[in-house]
Amino acid sequence: MTDANVRIPEEAKDRLAAIAAAEGLSLRAYLARLAQTLLTPAERAERAEKARTALKEWNGYAPTPTQERDLDSELDRRLARVAGR
């Protein structure tokens, strides 16, 4: 396994180290686990397409691209409201 150096602000490193320690992990182990659990944009798109296909097969739900954008906007609006933004 090779090491990599990543430059991030000291505050971000400290925060990540604290999160890792709270989970009983080193910062290195935490970042390795994090990298395994996050999806790339291509992986997210693939999962979204699979979900759309499954919903259409299951109950016929097939929103148009415009409906999807409207639903995304509404979700963003609601999340912003509860986050106090």
Side-chain angles (χ1 to χ4, degrees):
M1 180 183 311
T2 61
D3 285 335
N5 291 319
V6 178
R7 291 183 177 270
I8 61 172
E10 188 73 24
E11 300 82 27
K13 182 193 116 349
D14 292 345
R15 180 174 172 77
L16 289 169
I19 294 167
E23 294 188 27
L25 298 170
S26 67
L27 179 55
R28 179 183 178 152
Y30 179 76
L31 291 174
R33 186 181 76 181
L34 184 63
Q36 292 298 313
T37 60
L38 296 176
L39 299 175
T40 66
E43 291 167 333
R44 283 194 306 275
E46 180 182 352
R47 283 195 180 183
E49 184 56 37
K50 285 181 180 179
R52 280 191 289 274
T53 299
L55 282 170
K56 186 175 181 182
E57 290 174 1
W58 177 56
N59 67 5
Y61 182 69
T64 66
T66 299
Q67 289 170 321
E68 285 184 18
R69 278 191 303 276
D70 291 346
L71 291 167
D72 285 345
S73 294
E74 177 63 14
L75 179 59
D76 290 343
R77 185 187 68 75
R78 290 181 186 202
L79 288 172
R81 188 176 72 211
V82 298
R85 292 187 275 157

